[in-house]
Amino acid sequence: LVPGETKPSNAGKVRPRTRMQLELPNGAKYEGETVEGVAEGEGHLRFANGDVYKGEFIGGTMHGKGIWSYNTGDVYSGEFANGLANGHGKFQSAEGDTYEGEYAANKPHGKGLKTFSSG
């Protein structure tokens, strides 16, 4: 771009979604909606370590509502932004402990309630 020029906007253009299966270089496998070969919309991502994310994607990144099931048996369900737990969510450990509340950058942050399985 020449200084002072603006990039053409894609605003208002409808890009068709297709369903695809993608194998990523890190060993993860994605199945779901894509736009131009990039995860966009509802999808399912299985990581090489066995973790699974099922939910919304924007621009190839977990963004929106989703559920992350860890290979340890732990589960987080809630909001994601830019690939991290952000917003309201609930985490339940394999042992039964829970935290429900606000998250920022994958960590409990702000108001929430932690409950231990032992009472």
Side-chain angles (χ1 to χ4, degrees):
L1 292 174
V2 175
E5 285 187 339
T6 58
K7 206 173 179 182
S9 172
N10 285 333
K13 290 187 179 180
V14 176
R15 300 179 303 165
R17 288 190 180 179
T18 58
R19 290 198 63 82
M20 292 182 79
Q21 292 182 353
L22 305 171
E23 194 158 332
L24 307 175
N26 64 5
K29 294 180 180 177
Y30 173 80
E31 182 175 350
E33 295 178 313
T34 63
V35 173
E36 298 174 358
V38 176
E40 183 88 19
E42 292 289 323
H44 181 269
L45 182 63
R46 180 176 296 279
F47 295 88
N49 71 354
D51 288 0
V52 175
Y53 170 82
K54 184 175 184 179
E56 299 173 337
F57 289 81
I58 294 178
T61 302
M62 299 175 293
H63 197 93
K65 294 191 183 297
I67 300 171
W68 186 304
S69 301
Y70 296 86
N71 63 10
T72 59
D74 298 345
V75 176
Y76 169 83
S77 61
E79 298 172 331
F80 288 80
N82 301 314
L84 301 174
N86 271 292
H88 188 82
K90 181 177 181 179
F91 176 85
Q92 182 167 347
S93 74
E95 294 79 27
D97 298 341
T98 63
Y99 170 81
E100 184 168 3
E102 298 303 310
Y103 280 80
N106 258 10
K107 296 183 178 164
H109 181 79
K111 293 182 179 179
L113 177 64
K114 179 129 181 153
T115 307
F116 296 94
S117 61
S118 60

